[in-house]
Amino acid sequence: MARIIDGTEVARTVLRDATRRAALLKERGVTPGLAVVLVGDDPASATYVRMKERDCAEAGVQTFDHRFPADISQTELDAVIDRCNEDPDVHGILVQMPLPGHLDAEATIARIDPDKDVDGFHPANLGRLVRGLDAPRACTPWGVMKMLEYYGVRIEGADAVVIGRSTIVGKPMALMLLEANATVTVCHSRTRDLAKVCRQADILIAAVGRPRMVTAEYVKPGAVVIDVGINRTDAGLVGDVDFEAVEPLASAITPVPGGVGPMTRAMLVANTIDSATAATSDVGGA
Ligand code: NAD
C-alpha cells in the first residue's frame, strides 16, 4: 500500500510558516498584499479565487479585489495591471486564468511587474528558472517540489517523468526537477508508447487534464506518483491518475482532492510574502 502524500497537511505547514513571516513583516509596518484580478463569471475561477483569498486572510495577507465583467477591454485590464504595479501596498498580482477569449493572456502576464508576479508565469521569471536564478516560482510545480521534500522523496539521480508540457505546470515542473538533479523526461500528446516511457519513472507527475488516464500499466512498482490533474466529471472531482488501480503499486501517491491543489494555493501565499519581504528589504537598503 502506498503512502498517501497529504497535500492538505503540507500546505498547513507552509501556511503556518507564511503566517509567522507575515507577522514579522507587520511588526515592521508592512502588511503583505495580493491584488486579485478576476474577469467574467466562470464558477470554477470564482471558487479558486475564493479559496485563494481565504488562505491569504488566514495567513495575514490582505487581498485587493478587482472583479470585472467578461466584456472588459484589454486597455482597461492593462490600466488595472499598471495601477497594481505602481501600488506599494500590492506585493503580488494574481490574474485568474483563463481570461475570456478576446483578451490577450500572454500580454497581460507580461505586463505584470516580474517582482509582483507571484504566479511565476512572467517570461522573465520563467527565464530566471531556466537559468537557475532566484525568482517567483510557478505555484503548482513549486508546491509539488515542497511535497516531495516534505515526504523525503529522493530526487537527485531519480528518473522523473512529467506528462504534460504546459507553461504553468509541465515545463516549469520539468525544470525544477532538473534543478534538483533528477533525470527528466517530458511527455505530451505526441509521445509514442506513453505507458512504456512512464514505467521508467521513479517519480511520475501527471499534469494532463484527462480523467484517470494513468492506469497501472503506466507505473513502475515503488514509484512516487503525483497527480496534478483536476477533472470535473459526473462522478465528482477526479485526477489524471486512476487512484484505485495505481495506489497498490506506488510507494507514495497524492489523492485528488487533497493533494496538489492545496499546495498551489499555499505557494501563492508564500510567494506573496517572499515578494513583500524583498520589497521591504529594497526600501531598507535604499
Ligand atoms: P494543458 O491543457 O495546458 O496541458 C495539458 C498537457 O497534457 C499538454 O502539454 C498536452 O500535450 C498533454 N496531453 C494532452 N493529452 C495527452 C495525452 N493523451 N497523452 C499525453 N499527454 C497529453 O493543462 P495544464 O494547465 O497543464 O493542466 C493539466 C491538469 O492539471 C488539468 O487537469 C488542470 O486542471 C490541472 N491543474 C491543477 C492544478 C492544481 O493546483 N492542482 C493547477 C494547474 C492545473
Short mmCIF file of all heavy atoms in Angstrom, two decimals, residues 48 139-141 163-170 187-191 194 206-210 213 218 227-232 238-240 256 259-265, ligand 1:
data_model
loop_
_atom_site.label_atom_id
_atom_site.label_comp_id
_atom_site.label_asym_id
_atom_site.label_seq_id
_atom_site.Cartn_x
_atom_site.Cartn_y
_atom_site.Cartn_z
N TYR A 48 -11.88 29.08 -7.19
CA TYR A 48 -10.43 29.11 -6.94
C TYR A 48 -10.05 30.42 -6.23
O TYR A 48 -9.28 30.42 -5.26
CB TYR A 48 -9.65 29.02 -8.26
CG TYR A 48 -9.69 27.66 -8.90
CD1 TYR A 48 -9.81 27.52 -10.27
CD2 TYR A 48 -9.59 26.49 -8.14
CE1 TYR A 48 -9.85 26.27 -10.88
CE2 TYR A 48 -9.63 25.25 -8.73
CZ TYR A 48 -9.76 25.14 -10.10
OH TYR A 48 -9.80 23.91 -10.69
N CYS A 139 3.39 28.29 -8.95
CA CYS A 139 2.92 27.75 -7.66
C CYS A 139 2.68 26.24 -7.68
O CYS A 139 2.98 25.56 -6.70
CB CYS A 139 1.63 28.47 -7.25
SG CYS A 139 1.88 30.22 -7.00
N THR A 140 2.11 25.71 -8.77
CA THR A 140 1.77 24.29 -8.76
C THR A 140 3.03 23.40 -8.75
O THR A 140 3.17 22.57 -7.84
CB THR A 140 0.83 23.96 -9.94
OG1 THR A 140 -0.35 24.75 -9.80
CG2 THR A 140 0.47 22.50 -9.97
N PRO A 141 3.94 23.57 -9.70
CA PRO A 141 5.14 22.73 -9.62
C PRO A 141 5.99 23.01 -8.37
O PRO A 141 6.58 22.08 -7.80
CB PRO A 141 5.92 23.07 -10.89
CG PRO A 141 5.31 24.31 -11.44
CD PRO A 141 3.91 24.37 -10.93
N ILE A 163 4.20 14.12 -17.37
CA ILE A 163 3.27 14.05 -18.51
C ILE A 163 2.56 15.40 -18.58
O ILE A 163 1.86 15.79 -17.64
CB ILE A 163 2.20 12.94 -18.36
CG1 ILE A 163 2.76 11.69 -17.69
CG2 ILE A 163 1.62 12.60 -19.73
CD1 ILE A 163 1.70 10.62 -17.44
N GLY A 164 2.78 16.11 -19.68
CA GLY A 164 2.23 17.46 -19.85
C GLY A 164 3.35 18.46 -20.02
O GLY A 164 4.38 18.35 -19.34
N ARG A 165 3.17 19.38 -20.95
CA ARG A 165 4.24 20.36 -21.23
C ARG A 165 3.69 21.78 -21.23
O ARG A 165 4.15 22.63 -22.01
CB ARG A 165 4.90 20.05 -22.56
CG ARG A 165 3.91 20.02 -23.72
CD ARG A 165 4.58 19.79 -25.06
NE ARG A 165 3.60 19.39 -26.04
CZ ARG A 165 3.88 19.10 -27.30
NH1 ARG A 165 5.12 19.17 -27.71
NH2 ARG A 165 2.94 18.73 -28.13
N SER A 166 2.67 22.05 -20.41
CA SER A 166 2.14 23.41 -20.37
C SER A 166 3.13 24.34 -19.69
O SER A 166 4.02 23.91 -18.95
CB SER A 166 0.80 23.44 -19.62
OG SER A 166 1.02 23.28 -18.24
N THR A 167 2.94 25.64 -19.93
CA THR A 167 3.84 26.64 -19.36
C THR A 167 3.60 26.81 -17.87
O THR A 167 4.48 27.26 -17.14
CB THR A 167 3.62 27.99 -20.06
OG1 THR A 167 3.54 27.75 -21.45
CG2 THR A 167 4.75 28.95 -19.78
N ILE A 168 2.38 26.46 -17.41
CA ILE A 168 2.09 26.70 -15.98
C ILE A 168 2.40 25.48 -15.13
O ILE A 168 2.62 25.61 -13.93
CB ILE A 168 0.65 27.19 -15.75
CG1 ILE A 168 -0.38 26.14 -16.15
CG2 ILE A 168 0.38 28.49 -16.47
CD1 ILE A 168 -1.76 26.46 -15.62
N VAL A 169 2.42 24.29 -15.72
CA VAL A 169 2.73 23.10 -14.90
C VAL A 169 3.89 22.29 -15.49
O VAL A 169 4.97 22.21 -14.90
CB VAL A 169 1.50 22.17 -14.72
CG1 VAL A 169 1.84 21.10 -13.67
CG2 VAL A 169 0.25 22.91 -14.31
N GLY A 170 3.66 21.66 -16.65
CA GLY A 170 4.62 20.66 -17.14
C GLY A 170 6.04 21.17 -17.31
O GLY A 170 6.99 20.58 -16.77
N CYS A 187 6.76 14.16 -21.32
CA CYS A 187 5.86 13.51 -22.29
C CYS A 187 4.70 14.45 -22.61
O CYS A 187 4.38 15.35 -21.83
CB CYS A 187 5.29 12.23 -21.71
SG CYS A 187 6.54 11.02 -21.32
N HIS A 188 4.07 14.21 -23.74
CA HIS A 188 2.96 15.08 -24.17
C HIS A 188 2.07 14.30 -25.12
O HIS A 188 2.23 13.07 -25.27
CB HIS A 188 3.53 16.35 -24.81
CG HIS A 188 4.63 16.07 -25.78
ND1 HIS A 188 4.38 15.64 -27.06
CD2 HIS A 188 5.98 16.10 -25.62
CE1 HIS A 188 5.52 15.44 -27.67
NE2 HIS A 188 6.52 15.71 -26.82
N SER A 189 1.17 15.01 -25.77
CA SER A 189 0.14 14.34 -26.57
C SER A 189 0.72 13.57 -27.77
O SER A 189 0.05 12.71 -28.32
CB SER A 189 -0.89 15.36 -27.06
OG SER A 189 -0.24 16.43 -27.68
N ARG A 190 1.95 13.89 -28.16
CA ARG A 190 2.53 13.19 -29.33
C ARG A 190 3.55 12.13 -28.91
O ARG A 190 4.24 11.57 -29.76
CB ARG A 190 3.23 14.19 -30.25
CG ARG A 190 2.43 15.40 -30.60
CD ARG A 190 1.37 15.10 -31.67
NE ARG A 190 0.47 16.22 -31.81
CZ ARG A 190 0.69 17.24 -32.64
NH1 ARG A 190 1.74 17.27 -33.39
NH2 ARG A 190 -0.18 18.23 -32.71
N THR A 191 3.70 11.91 -27.62
CA THR A 191 4.68 10.91 -27.16
C THR A 191 4.25 9.52 -27.60
O THR A 191 3.08 9.14 -27.45
CB THR A 191 4.79 10.97 -25.62
OG1 THR A 191 5.27 12.26 -25.25
CG2 THR A 191 5.74 9.91 -25.08
N LEU A 194 3.37 6.00 -24.50
CA LEU A 194 3.43 6.77 -23.25
C LEU A 194 3.58 5.87 -22.02
O LEU A 194 4.39 6.14 -21.13
CB LEU A 194 2.15 7.62 -23.15
CG LEU A 194 2.03 8.54 -21.96
CD1 LEU A 194 3.12 9.61 -21.99
CD2 LEU A 194 0.66 9.21 -21.93
N ALA A 206 1.71 13.54 -13.26
CA ALA A 206 0.67 13.60 -14.30
C ALA A 206 0.03 14.98 -14.27
O ALA A 206 -0.58 15.38 -13.28
CB ALA A 206 -0.37 12.52 -14.05
N ALA A 207 0.18 15.72 -15.38
CA ALA A 207 -0.43 17.06 -15.50
C ALA A 207 -1.02 17.18 -16.89
O ALA A 207 -0.49 17.88 -17.76
CB ALA A 207 0.62 18.14 -15.25
N VAL A 208 -2.10 16.45 -17.12
CA VAL A 208 -2.64 16.28 -18.45
C VAL A 208 -4.04 16.91 -18.59
O VAL A 208 -4.34 17.61 -19.56
CB VAL A 208 -2.75 14.77 -18.81
CG1 VAL A 208 -3.16 14.60 -20.27
CG2 VAL A 208 -1.46 14.05 -18.53
N GLY A 209 -4.91 16.61 -17.62
CA GLY A 209 -6.29 17.06 -17.73
C GLY A 209 -7.17 16.01 -18.39
O GLY A 209 -8.12 16.35 -19.09
N ARG A 210 -6.82 14.72 -18.18
CA ARG A 210 -7.66 13.62 -18.69
C ARG A 210 -7.97 12.68 -17.54
O ARG A 210 -7.06 12.06 -16.98
CB ARG A 210 -6.91 12.84 -19.77
CG ARG A 210 -6.84 13.60 -21.06
CD ARG A 210 -6.03 12.85 -22.09
NE ARG A 210 -6.39 13.36 -23.40
CZ ARG A 210 -7.06 12.67 -24.32
NH1 ARG A 210 -7.43 11.44 -24.09
NH2 ARG A 210 -7.34 13.22 -25.47
N MET A 213 -6.44 8.83 -16.61
CA MET A 213 -5.72 8.31 -17.77
C MET A 213 -4.56 7.40 -17.36
O MET A 213 -4.23 6.42 -18.04
CB MET A 213 -5.18 9.49 -18.59
CG MET A 213 -4.56 9.08 -19.90
SD MET A 213 -3.69 10.45 -20.69
CE MET A 213 -2.09 10.31 -19.94
N TYR A 218 1.06 2.21 -16.46
CA TYR A 218 1.96 3.36 -16.57
C TYR A 218 2.97 3.41 -15.41
O TYR A 218 3.84 4.28 -15.41
CB TYR A 218 1.17 4.67 -16.52
CG TYR A 218 0.37 5.01 -17.75
CD1 TYR A 218 -0.69 4.24 -18.17
CD2 TYR A 218 0.67 6.15 -18.49
CE1 TYR A 218 -1.44 4.57 -19.30
CE2 TYR A 218 -0.06 6.49 -19.62
CZ TYR A 218 -1.11 5.69 -20.01
OH TYR A 218 -1.84 6.03 -21.12
N ASP A 227 -0.30 13.44 -8.76
CA ASP A 227 -1.43 13.69 -9.66
C ASP A 227 -1.82 15.17 -9.61
O ASP A 227 -2.40 15.64 -8.62
CB ASP A 227 -2.62 12.81 -9.21
CG ASP A 227 -3.76 12.82 -10.22
OD1 ASP A 227 -3.70 13.59 -11.19
OD2 ASP A 227 -4.71 12.03 -10.01
N VAL A 228 -1.45 15.90 -10.66
CA VAL A 228 -1.77 17.33 -10.70
C VAL A 228 -3.18 17.56 -11.26
O VAL A 228 -3.80 18.59 -11.01
CB VAL A 228 -0.71 18.09 -11.56
CG1 VAL A 228 -1.02 19.58 -11.62
CG2 VAL A 228 0.69 17.88 -11.01
N GLY A 229 -3.69 16.61 -11.99
CA GLY A 229 -4.95 16.78 -12.71
C GLY A 229 -6.14 17.12 -11.82
O GLY A 229 -6.26 16.60 -10.71
N ILE A 230 -6.96 18.01 -12.33
CA ILE A 230 -8.25 18.31 -11.69
C ILE A 230 -9.29 18.21 -12.78
O ILE A 230 -9.31 19.03 -13.70
CB ILE A 230 -8.28 19.72 -11.07
CG1 ILE A 230 -7.23 19.88 -9.99
CG2 ILE A 230 -9.67 20.02 -10.51
CD1 ILE A 230 -7.18 21.27 -9.37
N ASN A 231 -10.11 17.19 -12.73
CA ASN A 231 -11.12 16.98 -13.77
C ASN A 231 -12.49 16.88 -13.12
O ASN A 231 -12.68 16.09 -12.19
CB ASN A 231 -10.82 15.69 -14.53
CG ASN A 231 -9.40 15.67 -15.07
OD1 ASN A 231 -9.08 16.40 -15.99
ND2 ASN A 231 -8.54 14.84 -14.49
N ARG A 232 -13.38 17.73 -13.59
CA ARG A 232 -14.76 17.67 -13.08
C ARG A 232 -15.54 16.66 -13.93
O ARG A 232 -15.66 16.83 -15.13
CB ARG A 232 -15.41 19.05 -13.20
CG ARG A 232 -15.01 19.97 -12.09
CD ARG A 232 -15.26 21.43 -12.38
NE ARG A 232 -14.08 22.21 -12.03
CZ ARG A 232 -13.69 22.46 -10.80
NH1 ARG A 232 -14.39 22.04 -9.79
NH2 ARG A 232 -12.58 23.14 -10.54
N VAL A 238 -12.00 14.32 -10.13
CA VAL A 238 -11.03 13.23 -10.19
C VAL A 238 -9.73 13.75 -10.81
O VAL A 238 -9.72 14.74 -11.53
CB VAL A 238 -11.53 12.01 -11.01
CG1 VAL A 238 -12.78 11.42 -10.40
CG2 VAL A 238 -11.75 12.36 -12.47
N GLY A 239 -8.65 13.03 -10.54
CA GLY A 239 -7.36 13.41 -11.06
C GLY A 239 -7.09 12.76 -12.42
O GLY A 239 -7.97 12.18 -13.05
N ASP A 240 -5.83 12.88 -12.84
CA ASP A 240 -5.39 12.23 -14.09
C ASP A 240 -4.99 10.78 -13.83
O ASP A 240 -4.70 10.03 -14.76
CB ASP A 240 -4.18 12.97 -14.67
CG ASP A 240 -4.54 14.34 -15.20
OD1 ASP A 240 -5.74 14.60 -15.44
OD2 ASP A 240 -3.62 15.17 -15.38
N VAL A 256 -6.68 13.09 -5.09
CA VAL A 256 -7.42 14.24 -5.65
C VAL A 256 -8.86 14.10 -5.19
O VAL A 256 -9.48 13.07 -5.47
CB VAL A 256 -7.36 14.25 -7.20
CG1 VAL A 256 -8.21 15.41 -7.73
CG2 VAL A 256 -5.95 14.36 -7.70
N GLY A 259 -4.50 16.77 -2.62
CA GLY A 259 -3.10 16.55 -2.97
C GLY A 259 -2.44 17.85 -3.37
O GLY A 259 -2.13 18.70 -2.53
N VAL A 260 -2.29 18.02 -4.68
CA VAL A 260 -1.55 19.18 -5.20
C VAL A 260 -2.33 20.49 -5.02
O VAL A 260 -1.74 21.54 -4.78
CB VAL A 260 -1.20 18.95 -6.70
CG1 VAL A 260 -0.51 20.16 -7.29
CG2 VAL A 260 -0.33 17.70 -6.85
N GLY A 261 -3.66 20.42 -5.12
CA GLY A 261 -4.49 21.64 -5.08
C GLY A 261 -4.20 22.56 -3.90
O GLY A 261 -3.89 23.75 -4.09
N PRO A 262 -4.26 22.05 -2.66
CA PRO A 262 -3.99 22.94 -1.52
C PRO A 262 -2.58 23.51 -1.54
O PRO A 262 -2.34 24.63 -1.07
CB PRO A 262 -4.17 22.03 -0.29
CG PRO A 262 -4.84 20.79 -0.78
CD PRO A 262 -4.67 20.71 -2.26
N MET A 263 -1.63 22.76 -2.12
CA MET A 263 -0.25 23.25 -2.19
C MET A 263 -0.12 24.43 -3.13
O MET A 263 0.63 25.37 -2.87
CB MET A 263 0.69 22.13 -2.66
CG MET A 263 0.95 21.08 -1.64
SD MET A 263 1.60 21.76 -0.10
CE MET A 263 3.19 22.40 -0.61
N THR A 264 -0.86 24.38 -4.25
CA THR A 264 -0.81 25.50 -5.20
C THR A 264 -1.19 26.79 -4.49
O THR A 264 -0.54 27.83 -4.63
CB THR A 264 -1.76 25.22 -6.38
OG1 THR A 264 -1.33 24.04 -7.05
CG2 THR A 264 -1.79 26.37 -7.37
N ARG A 265 -2.27 26.72 -3.71
CA ARG A 265 -2.74 27.94 -3.02
C ARG A 265 -1.75 28.38 -1.95
O ARG A 265 -1.46 29.56 -1.79
CB ARG A 265 -4.11 27.68 -2.40
CG ARG A 265 -5.17 27.30 -3.42
CD ARG A 265 -6.56 27.48 -2.84
NE ARG A 265 -6.77 26.72 -1.63
CZ ARG A 265 -7.15 25.45 -1.58
NH1 ARG A 265 -7.36 24.78 -2.70
NH2 ARG A 265 -7.32 24.84 -0.43
P1 NAD B 1 -2.89 21.98 -20.54
O1 NAD B 1 -4.13 21.58 -21.24
O2 NAD B 1 -2.33 23.33 -20.75
O3 NAD B 1 -1.75 20.93 -20.86
C1 NAD B 1 -2.00 19.56 -20.92
C2 NAD B 1 -0.78 18.84 -21.39
O4 NAD B 1 -1.09 17.45 -21.46
C3 NAD B 1 -0.33 19.26 -22.79
O5 NAD B 1 1.05 19.59 -22.72
C4 NAD B 1 -0.56 18.05 -23.66
O6 NAD B 1 0.50 17.83 -24.60
C5 NAD B 1 -0.61 16.91 -22.68
N1 NAD B 1 -1.53 15.88 -23.12
C6 NAD B 1 -2.81 16.02 -23.54
N2 NAD B 1 -3.32 14.82 -23.89
C7 NAD B 1 -2.36 13.92 -23.70
C8 NAD B 1 -2.28 12.53 -23.89
N3 NAD B 1 -3.30 11.83 -24.33
N4 NAD B 1 -1.13 11.93 -23.57
C9 NAD B 1 -0.07 12.62 -23.12
N5 NAD B 1 -0.09 13.94 -22.90
C10 NAD B 1 -1.22 14.58 -23.20
O7 NAD B 1 -3.19 21.72 -18.99
P2 NAD B 1 -2.47 22.29 -17.66
O8 NAD B 1 -2.88 23.68 -17.45
O9 NAD B 1 -1.03 21.93 -17.67
O10 NAD B 1 -3.21 21.40 -16.57
C11 NAD B 1 -3.12 20.00 -16.56
C12 NAD B 1 -4.05 19.45 -15.50
O11 NAD B 1 -3.63 19.93 -14.24
C13 NAD B 1 -5.51 19.89 -15.64
O12 NAD B 1 -6.34 18.86 -15.18
C14 NAD B 1 -5.61 21.07 -14.72
O13 NAD B 1 -6.93 21.28 -14.24
C15 NAD B 1 -4.70 20.63 -13.61
N6 NAD B 1 -4.13 21.71 -12.81
C16 NAD B 1 -4.17 21.54 -11.49
C17 NAD B 1 -3.61 22.49 -10.66
C18 NAD B 1 -3.64 22.25 -9.18
O14 NAD B 1 -3.48 23.18 -8.42
N7 NAD B 1 -3.81 21.01 -8.73
C19 NAD B 1 -3.02 23.63 -11.19
C20 NAD B 1 -2.97 23.77 -12.57
C21 NAD B 1 -3.51 22.78 -13.38
#
